[in-house]
Amino acid sequence: MKDEVTREERVDNLKGMGCSRKRVEDARFTQGKGNYVDDVKLDGMIFGDFVRSPYAHARIKSIDTAAALEVPGVLAVLTAADLEPLGLHWMPTLAGDKQMVLADGKVLFQGQEVAFVVAEDRYAAADGIEAVEVEYEELPVLVDPFEALKSDVVLREDLVAEDGSIPDGAHGPRKHANHIFTWEAGDKDPTEEVIANADIVAEEEMYYHRTHPCPLETCGCVASMDKVNGKLTLWGTFQAPHAIRTIVSLISGLEEHNIRVISPDIGGGFGNKVGAYPGYVCSVVASIVTGKPVKWIEDRMDNLMTTAFARDYWMKGKISATKEGKITGLHCHVTADHGGFDACADPTKFPAGFMNICTGSYDIPTAYLEVDGVYTNKAPGGVSYRCSFRVTEAVYFIERMIEVLAIKLDMDAAELRRINFIKKEQFPYTAALGWEYDSGDYHTAWDKALKAVDYEGLRAEQAQRVEDFKAGKTRKLMGIGLSFFTEIVGAGPVKNCDILGLGMFDSCEIRIHPTGSAIARLGTISQGQGHATTFAQILASEIGLPADSITIEEGDTDTAPYGLGTYGSRSTPVAGAATAMAGRKIRAKAQMIAAYLLEVHDNDVEFDVDRFVVKGAPEKFKTMKEIAFAAYNQAIPGIEPGLEAVSYYDPPNMTYPFGAYVCVMDIDVDTGVPEIRRFYALDDCGTRINPMIIEGQVHGGLTEALAVALGQEIAYDDMGNCKTGTLMDFFLPTAWEVPNYETDYTVTPSPHHPIGAKGVGESPHVGGVPCFSNAVQDAFRPFGNTHTNMPHDHWRIWKAANELGLHG
Amino acid sequence: MIPAAFEYYRPKDMDGVLSILEEHGDDARVMAGGHSLIPMMKLRMADVPHLIDLQDVGGMSDIELTADSIRIGALVTQADIIDHARLAAAAPILREAALQIADPQVRYMGTIGGNVANGDPGNDMPGLMQCLNASFTVVGADGERDIPAREFYEAAYMTAREDEEVLTTVTIPLPKGGYAYEKQKRKIGDYATAAAAVQIVKDGSNCVSASIAMTNLSDTPIYSEDASAALVGTAVDAAALDAAVAAMLEDIDPTEDNRGPIAFKNHVAGVILRRAITRAWSRA
Ligand SMILES: Cc1cc2nc3c(=O)[nH]c(=O)nc-3n(C[C@H](O)[C@H](O)[C@H](O)COP(=O)(O)OP(=O)(O)OC[C@H]3O[C@@H](n4cnc5c(N)ncnc54)[C@H](O)[C@@H]3O)c2cc1C
C-alpha cells in the first residue's frame, strides 16, 4: 500500500507540540455554555451567606438570631457555637495555622465571617443577614505590622500561653504575641561581612503593597450530602480538588472515599482559589444538618475584602558591588503582613514561599534573607497571585535593587545586568540561597531584547526629552523600564515540597479507545489556561494520535488520578511531565504490539510520528490507530489486552523559565498620568507546546502586572476599614488601558523535564510588575529619584514629581 | 449585593407616576436607566420600597433643536446623545462629554434625566449643564416648573427637585463659541478625578464671554462665575489662565478619597481647567 500522505502532513494532522492549535474550550466559553459552580442547580437546593463583621478588631458580646429566623424563607443561622460540638468552628490553614470558620468570641478583620444564614433563596438569605443582631465591643486596631510587633494589643489570644509566654508556631520560635515566624535562608555573617567591606553598597526600602488576584468568577461551592448512601459531593472553585478532598476528610471525619470533589469550569483563579474558605465548611455543615444541597457564592465585595489577598511585603535590601559593578553580596529583610490568620498558600516548609529566589538572574556569591511574618487586623491570605510562591515579590525586590545599584554606580542598568548575569556555561547553577537553576541563556535573551527595542536609540531619545523638559518645551518625561527575571516553577520535588504533608507530585492516566481515540485525566485543573488543548498536544506528539481525538478531563476526584492541582505554573512542569511519561508507557506497549503485527522483533520497529515502522523498511508499518484496535481485539501472546497507562511524576527539580522585558512610558508630570508607548516581552519557557496559548498567557499576565504596578491595591484606613472593596476603586484594567504587547522568545529547554517545557502562565506577571514600575522610576531618575513605592497610580506619580520639585 | 424587597411599578403615563409618588412619599422613587439607582439599592445604600420605572411613560425620549435652544427629554440616553448628528453639530460639547462617561454598556442605559437628577457629585452632566446654563423642567401634582441648573444642586444627592416631582426635560440655550470637556479619570468607567466644562466666545482676538464649571471637586458641581469672568476681555493669555485657575480654586472644595489627597486634586483641577480653556479657545 502506498502512503499518499507526506510525513509533514502526518505531523500536521496530529496538531501536536509546537502547533498553535485553537483552544478546544473556547467553543463553549464563547457561546456562554461554560458550566461554572453557580450553574450547578440541584433539586431542593438552598442557599447560604454570611453575616460579616463591620469591624476590624472587636469582641463579640452576643449574637441574636431570633429575628433572622423569623424572616420568611430563612431556615437556619449557624454560629461558632453550633460548629463547636463538631470541632468545626476553627479549621487548619495551609500554612500550619488555624483560622476561625465563624467568629469565635472575636473578629480579627473587617468582613470576617460571623454567622451563616441558610435560606430558601439568596434574597431571603440577604434579608436574614440584615436581621441578625450582633453586639460588638471594639478593640484597638493594628493595621501596621511594625506597630503590631511593638504593641501590647494581642490579636491572637489563642496563641499566647496562660502565663503570658509565647509558644512556638508552626515555623519555629515567635518573638512577640503578634509575630508568626522568622524564616531565614543563606549565610548571615559572611553576607554582612562582604557588604561591610564592599566598594559600593546600595540600600533601599520598598513596600510591595497588598493586592488581590480578583478572578472574574468569585469563589463558591455547592455541598450535597446524600444521607442515604453517606456520600458528600462538593462542587466548587477549587484550584486543588484532591487536596480539598483530603482536607475535608481530615477535618470532618468523613472517609475519603465517601467524598467527591468536583471543580467544574473555573473563571480564573490566580491563586485566589487554592486555599479553603469558611464558606466551604459552612456549606458542608449546612448540607449535613438540613439534608439538602447548599450553595454559597461570594459577591464581588466578599471576594475582594475577605478571600486571599496577595503580597503585602515590606522589603529592606542591601546590595554590594565592586567599583566595576560586579555584585558581591545581597541582604534582604522582609516584614510580611499576613493579616489575622496565617493562611498563606505555600509549600509547608516554605512560610515565605520561594522568596529565596531573590538573587534573581545574577551570579551573586553571598546572600542572606530573613522574613518575619506578622499578624495584623487585615484579611488573611498571602497567595501567589499569578506567580509561583512569593516569586513576584522576590523578582520585584532584585530588579529594583539592580536599578538602585546602577544609580549608585552611575551606570547603565542594562549593562549592570549584563555583567552580572549567570553565564550559560554555569548551568546547572546553584544560587547562594540554595536553588539549583536548571538551564538558561540570559545573555542571548538580553541582547535580543535590547536590539529589538533599539535600546541605544531609546536612551538617546530619553536624554533629549530631559533636555526639552528642562528647557520648558515639554511636560512629559520618558521612562525606560527594564526587567530580567528568572521564575522558579513546577512545585515540586516531594523531597522538599509538600502542602500539609501532601507531596507535590502530579499525575496522568490515559485510556486509548479501540478505534484510536483517547481520554486522559490529570490531577490538575484548568482555570482558563487551556489544559484541554495543550495536554492533548503533548499526548498527540507522544502517542501519535491526533490531538482532536484526545479528550482531556480534570477536576473530578472520583475519576481523575490524585494530584495537587493548578497554581504556581506547576501544571506543565509536573502534570505535563506525567502526561508525557504516561504517553511513553503507552508507546512502549504499542511497540510490542506493532512488532507482533509486523512479525518482527520489538527492537526492529521504531516510532515515526503516528506509527511504528520496520527499521529500514518504512513501507512496512502499523499506525497507532491500527495498534489500538489490535490491542483490544486481537489475542497477542504474552500481552494483556487493552491500552492504558498511568504515571505519577515526582519532578527531580523545579524549572526556571526566564525572560527579558522592556517598557517605554511617557509620564505627564502635571497630572501623574502614565502612557505606555511600547511593551516588549521576550519569554523563554523552554519547549513551546502551543505558541498561541503562550502568547495569550503573556498578554494576560502582563495586563495583571500593569494593574498591580499602576494602581491595583487593597488599602485600609487606620480603623482597618477596607477602602477598595468594589471594582470602582479596585483597579481592573480594561482593553482601553492596555497597550499593544510585542511578544518574542528564545528556547532553552529544561534538561530534566521529559519534553523540556518549563511553564509560562505566571512569567509575564513576575517580570511585568518590575518592568512597569522601573519605567516610572526611570523617568524620574535624571531628577534624583532612586525609589518610589507602587502602586504608581496618578496621585502617587504626581507625588513623586512633586517631591522632586518638578511642579515649580 | 442583593437589594431589599421592593414593589415594582411600570405606569403608562405621568399621572400614574405622580399618583404613586404622592401615595408613598419618599418611600417611592422613579427609575430611568437604573445605572446609578440599582447599584445603590444592591449595596443597600438606597432603600426604595416602591420603585417606579419610567420607561413606559411616553414623551420623554426626544431631542428637539430650535433656532435658539435645545430640548432633551429626560429619558434620552447618553448613547442617544452621542449618536445624534444634528445635536453634535449644534452643541458638540454634549457629545465630547458623553463619550467620557462610563463605558458603552452604561451609556446605552444611563439617561440625561437620571444623570442630572441623581445629585451625585461624580456625575458629569450636572457640571456640563451649569456651564451651558441649562434649565430643568420638573412636573409634580401642582404642575410644571423650571429650575436653572445653576440653582439645582444643594449638596450631595440633595437637589431643588421635590421628592414628588419628576424631571421631564432639559433645556439648553444654543451654545456659542469654542468648547471643551476635559476629564481626568483613573480608567474607563471611572468618575472624574477632576473635570472641566468650558464654553468661550471670541470676538476679534478677545474673549467676550466664558462659562466654566467643574465636576467632582465639591459635594455639588461648581459653576465658577469668577473663573469665567477672569477670561472675559482678555486674549486668554497666560495671565488670564492663571487668574481663571486661581478663581476656580477658590470655589472648589475637594475631599480626599482613593483618587488622592486634596493637594493633588487642587493641582489637577488647575491643570485640567487650563487644558480645557486652551482647547476651547483654540476652537473659538
Ligand atoms: C460603571 C459605571 C460607571 C459610571 N461612570 C459614570 C461617569 O463617568 N460619569 C457619569 O456622569 N456617570 C457615570 N455613571 C452613572 C451613569 O451615567 C448613570 O446612568 C446616571 O448617573 C444615572 O442615569 P440613569 O438613567 O441610570 O438613572 P437612575 O439610576 O435610574 O436614577 C438615578 C437617580 O435619579 C433619579 N431619577 C432618574 N430619572 C429621574 C427623573 N426623570 N426625574 C426625577 N428623578 C429621576 C432616580 O430616582 C435616582 O435617584 C456610571 C455608572 C456605572 C454603573
Side-chain angles (χ1 to χ4, degrees):
Chain A
M1 188 179 90
K2 193 176 171 316
D3 193 7
E4 305 280 356
V5 187
T6 67
R7 188 171 189 281
E8 207 174 308
E9 284 166 334
R10 289 195 280 123
V11 172
D12 288 349
N13 287 342
L14 290 183
K15 298 190 190 165
M17 291 210 295
C19 159
S20 282
R21 181 184 184 218
K22 281 194 184 156
R23 291 178 18 129
V24 296
E25 296 90 340
D26 290 346
R28 66 177 190 280
F29 292 154
T30 54
Q31 294 179 66
K33 294 279 162 48
N35 184 39
Y36 298 89
V37 65
D38 205 14
D39 296 319
V40 175
K41 295 189 175 78
L42 303 177
D43 272 353
M45 190 170 75
I46 57 178
F47 297 81
D49 204 352
F50 286 106
V51 175
R52 295 182 179 276
S53 170
Y55 300 110
H57 195 200
R59 212 162 292 292
I60 294 188
K61 299 180 73 177
S62 66
I63 303 177
D64 185 348
T65 61
L69 290 168
E70 296 294 307
V71 171
V74 172
L75 303 170
V77 182
L78 300 178
T79 65
D82 302 307
L83 300 182
E84 188 169 1
L86 308 167
L88 290 176
H89 55 320
W90 289 71
M91 63 179 186
T93 70
L94 296 180
D97 193 3
K98 55 183 183 151
Q99 174 178 355
M100 291 178 213
V101 172
L102 291 172
D104 183 19
K106 75 184 293 195
V107 288
L108 287 163
F109 63 94
Q110 188 185 46
Q112 187 177 330
E113 300 80 2
V114 173
F116 192 64
V117 175
V118 185
E120 278 164 6
D121 58 52
R122 284 176 181 161
Y123 296 87
D127 290 341
I129 288 168
E130 297 267 295
V132 174
E133 282 170 33
V134 186
E135 202 185 334
Y136 297 93
E137 177 192 319
E138 287 185 69
L139 295 170
V141 173
L142 297 173
V143 288
D144 175 344
F146 299 98
E147 285 298 314
L149 285 178
K150 285 184 274 178
S151 176
D152 295 335
V153 176
V154 176
L155 300 184
R156 294 285 300 275
E157 283 102 343
D158 60 301
L159 300 179
V160 177
E162 299 229 329
D163 64 1
S165 64
I166 314 289
D168 284 4
H171 309 288
R174 295 160 58 224
K175 299 179 208 165
H176 182 276
N178 300 327
H179 181 245
I180 312 174
F181 62 82
T182 298
W183 188 67
E184 291 177 276
D187 302 316
K188 186 167 198 263
D189 293 340
T191 304
E192 284 175 358
E193 203 181 306
V194 164
I195 291 174
N197 299 319
D199 291 353
I200 305 283
V201 179
E203 297 184 38
E204 194 52 72
E205 289 181 27
M206 56 192 93
Y207 176 47
Y208 197 143
H209 61 287
R210 178 177 279 235
T211 181
H212 193 282
C214 193
L216 284 187
E217 179 204 26
T218 59
C219 299
C221 72
V222 177
S224 179
M225 183 75 206
D226 183 331
K227 290 199 174 177
V228 176
N229 63 18
K231 291 211 183 251
L232 170 71
T233 307
L234 183 61
W235 289 261
T237 47
F238 309 127
Q239 288 183 239
H242 284 96
I244 292 282
R245 186 183 72 191
T246 301
I247 292 169
V248 170
S249 173
L250 291 173
I251 68 177
S252 71
L254 291 172
E255 279 197 77
E256 207 165 342
H257 76 104
N258 278 332
I259 305 168
R260 179 177 182 190
V261 174
I262 300 174
S263 294
D265 283 332
I266 296 183
F270 313 114
N272 185 238
K273 294 169 179 168
V274 173
Y277 294 121
Y280 305 157
V281 179
C282 289
S283 301
V284 169
V285 172
S287 181
I288 292 173
V289 170
T290 61
K292 295 182 174 181
V294 177
K295 181 184 275 190
W296 164 72
I297 304 285
E298 285 179 333
D299 67 23
R300 180 61 59 192
M301 289 176 80
D302 295 340
N303 181 255
L304 284 173
M305 290 172 62
T306 70
T307 50
F309 74 93
R311 323 288 152 80
D312 215 344
Y313 260 31
W314 297 83
M315 305 186 283
K316 210 171 152 174
K318 282 186 203 161
I319 189 164
S320 63
T322 64
K323 288 196 197 66
E324 295 72 38
K326 185 79 194 76
I327 301 170
T328 54
L330 180 72
H331 190 287
C332 176
H333 181 271
V334 180
T335 301
D337 186 339
H338 285 215
F341 306 96
D342 186 10
C344 284
D346 293 314
T348 299
K349 294 187 197 85
F350 295 88
F354 303 156
M355 184 65 199
N356 57 339
I357 193 80
C358 67
T359 51
S361 315
Y362 310 103
D363 184 14
I364 302 181
T366 338
Y368 174 67
L369 164 72
E370 182 182 44
V371 183
D372 283 301
V374 185
Y375 291 118
T376 60
N377 289 120
K378 299 183 190 168
V383 295
S384 316
Y385 168 9
R386 204 170 184 141
C387 66
S388 194
F389 313 99
R390 299 287 187 184
V391 176
T392 312
E393 289 90 321
V395 170
Y396 184 74
F397 171 77
I398 186 66
E399 288 305 288
R400 284 300 305 135
M401 289 310 293
I402 289 284
E403 295 280 324
V404 172
L405 179 62
I407 292 168
K408 189 98 186 184
L409 287 160
D410 195 19
M411 194 169 169
D412 178 81
E415 182 58 20
L416 180 59
R417 285 179 174 84
R418 190 197 316 273
I419 61 179
N420 285 289
F421 281 143
I422 301 162
K423 295 188 190 70
K424 189 179 171 187
E425 56 275 16
Q426 285 176 284
F427 291 92
Y429 171 86
T430 303
L433 295 176
W435 295 110
E436 188 189 290
Y437 294 27
D438 58 350
S439 63
D441 183 355
Y442 299 167
H443 287 96
T444 299
W446 197 230
D447 290 343
K448 189 172 182 186
L450 297 184
K451 188 155 175 260
V453 299
D454 180 22
Y455 181 68
E456 304 283 309
L458 287 174
R459 284 289 175 208
E461 184 190 347
Q462 185 188 37
Q464 183 58 48
R465 183 73 72 84
V466 171
E467 289 308 308
D468 290 350
F469 183 87
K470 287 179 175 163
K473 290 188 204 155
T474 176
R475 294 295 292 162
K476 284 192 180 171
L477 292 174
M478 174 178 163
I480 302 167
L482 303 175
S483 90
F484 195 99
F485 65 92
T486 299
E487 255 259 77
I488 166 170
V489 306
V494 173
K495 64 179 186 290
N496 50 19
C497 290
D498 69 275
I499 290 187
L500 295 180
L502 309 174
M504 297 180 76
F505 59 82
D506 227 290
S507 57
C508 175
E509 187 189 278
I510 306 170
R511 288 185 199 169
I512 310 293
H513 305 318
T515 49
S517 64
I519 182 165
R521 297 188 171 102
L522 293 90
T524 44
I525 174 71
S526 187
Q527 305 128 38
Q529 292 91 337
H531 290 178
T533 307
T534 48
F535 287 135
Q537 291 183 253
I538 296 177
L539 269 184
S541 292
E542 291 290 345
I543 64 177
L545 293 174
D548 289 345
S549 303
I550 301 171
T551 295
I552 300 290
E553 216 180 74
E554 302 173 304
D556 182 342
T557 59
D558 264 11
T559 56
Y562 204 97
L564 265 266
T566 294
Y567 43 86
S569 288
R570 64 186 300 281
S571 298
T572 294
V574 193
T579 304
M581 298 309 269
R584 286 172 198 181
K585 291 183 188 176
I586 297 276
R587 214 162 79 188
K589 183 167 178 183
Q591 180 164 5
M592 294 193 280
I593 297 170
Y596 173 80
L597 297 175
L598 291 163
E599 296 176 17
V600 294
H601 189 271
D602 289 357
N603 290 339
D604 292 335
V605 292
E606 62 187 0
F607 187 67
D608 180 47
V609 185
D610 57 354
R611 63 191 58 184
F612 278 94
V613 297
V614 175
K615 285 181 186 165
E619 71 287 358
K620 289 190 186 152
F621 63 86
K622 287 287 169 192
T623 64
M624 283 301 291
K625 219 173 138 116
E626 293 168 318
I627 294 167
F629 198 79
Y632 285 91
N633 300 314
Q634 196 159 342
I636 303 174
I639 298 180
E640 280 181 7
L643 195 51
E644 299 188 2
V646 55
S647 168
Y648 281 77
Y649 188 80
D650 178 7
N653 190 5
M654 313 289 255
T655 63
Y656 297 76
F658 59 92
Y661 292 177
V662 183
C663 172
V664 184
M665 197 184 271
D666 289 319
I667 288 180
D668 182 330
V669 169
D670 295 316
T671 58
V673 176
E675 196 183 313
I676 298 149
R677 206 202 301 170
R678 194 162 177 198
F679 200 102
Y680 168 90
L682 178 151
D683 273 278
D684 191 319
C685 58
T687 303
R688 292 157 56 86
I689 299 165
N690 181 323
M692 185 186 69
I693 285 191
I694 292 174
E695 196 177 347
Q697 290 291 316
V698 172
H699 284 207
L702 288 176
T703 299
E704 284 180 319
L706 175 148
V708 170
L710 300 186
Q712 186 178 83
E713 66 175 326
I714 295 289
Y716 292 86
D717 68 13
D718 292 345
M719 299 300 294
N721 297 308
C722 179
K723 298 197 288 178
T724 50
T726 74
L727 295 185
M728 195 47 96
D729 285 309
F730 182 85
F731 175 43
L732 211 58
T734 66
W736 190 265
E737 286 79 30
V738 173
N740 183 42
Y741 299 119
E742 301 163 49
T743 58
D744 204 347
Y745 63 97
T746 55
V747 178
T748 312
S750 168
H752 63 76
H753 187 279
I755 58 169
K758 290 186 168 186
V760 76
E762 303 175 323
S763 290
H765 192 69
V766 167
V769 176
C771 192
F772 285 110
S773 180
N774 280 343
V776 175
Q777 320 263 6
D778 183 67
F780 293 121
R781 177 175 166 175
F783 302 90
N785 173 63
T786 47
H787 175 79
T788 151
N789 282 329
M790 295 188 293
H792 305 294
D793 56 1
H794 297 173
W795 90 260
R796 288 181 178 95
I797 291 181
W798 175 87
K799 179 165 164 269
N802 196 261
E803 284 169 356
L804 294 170
L806 301 183
H807 294 140
Chain B
M1 299 279 260
I2 288 179
F6 57 87
E7 285 298 323
Y8 176 78
Y9 306 83
R10 202 171 170 115
K12 295 262 181 273
D13 54 33
M14 190 55 80
D15 286 347
V17 176
L18 294 176
S19 70
I20 302 165
L21 280 172
E22 202 164 356
E23 187 183 342
H24 296 287
D26 55 1
D27 271 354
R29 272 224 229 167
V30 298
M31 178 178 79
H35 271 49
S36 287
L37 186 55
I38 291 174
M40 285 198 287
M41 289 170 67
K42 286 181 153 191
L43 291 165
R44 298 200 175 208
M45 281 157 56
D47 184 22
V48 184
H50 300 275
L51 184 70
I52 311 165
D53 193 331
L54 294 178
Q55 294 295 341
D56 282 355
V57 178
M60 290 193 287
S61 300
D62 296 328
I63 298 175
E64 288 168 38
L65 293 153
T66 66
D68 54 5
S69 76
I70 301 166
R71 286 165 56 83
I72 304 177
L75 286 188
V76 167
T77 64
Q78 292 144 16
D80 294 336
I81 289 175
I82 291 167
D83 289 346
H84 199 286
R86 285 202 303 131
L87 179 65
I93 194 170
L94 288 177
R95 185 166 193 271
E96 182 163 302
L99 279 168
Q100 296 180 65
I101 291 178
D103 53 55
Q105 284 173 316
V106 173
R107 298 196 293 252
Y108 284 126
M109 294 302 294
T111 66
I112 187 166
N115 201 300
V116 298
N118 193 29
D120 183 333
N123 280 134
D124 288 288
M125 291 289 180
L128 178 62
M129 293 306 152
Q130 291 193 337
C131 168
L132 295 175
N133 199 17
S135 66
F136 306 145
T137 307
V138 298
V139 58
D142 303 335
E144 278 188 359
R145 63 185 181 119
D146 287 340
I147 312 170
R150 292 177 188 171
E151 290 163 24
F152 191 74
Y153 298 96
E154 295 165 351
Y157 302 104
M158 307 274 284
T159 65
R161 183 183 61 86
E162 300 295 333
D163 285 341
E164 302 79 33
E165 289 176 322
V166 178
L167 196 154
T168 55
T169 313
V170 174
T171 306
I172 304 168
L174 205 62
K176 295 194 200 76
Y179 67 94
Y181 194 80
E182 182 85 21
K183 176 177 177 181
Q184 178 165 340
K185 54 188 173 182
R186 296 170 298 180
K187 61 173 256 186
I188 204 81
D190 191 19
Y191 292 93
T193 302
V198 177
Q199 285 279 157
I200 303 185
V201 181
K202 185 178 184 179
D203 190 13
S205 58
N206 276 1
C207 162
V208 290
S209 84
S211 178
I212 290 173
M214 308 297 291
T215 290
N216 218 12
L217 293 159
S218 287
D219 68 346
T220 63
I222 295 294
Y223 167 65
S224 181
E225 211 170 338
D226 291 348
S228 315
L231 298 180
V232 177
T234 75
V236 189
D237 51 13
L241 278 168
D242 287 347
V245 166
M248 176 276 293
L249 289 174
E250 287 293 314
D251 290 342
I252 63 170
D253 183 17
T255 50
E256 171 163 358
D257 59 19
N258 286 333
R259 295 181 181 83
I262 293 168
F264 166 69
K265 289 195 174 179
N266 277 325
H267 187 108
V268 168
V271 174
I272 292 301
L273 177 56
R274 251 171 228 283
R275 289 181 186 173
I277 294 172
T278 307
R279 196 161 74 236
W281 184 241
S282 74
R283 288 164 166 170

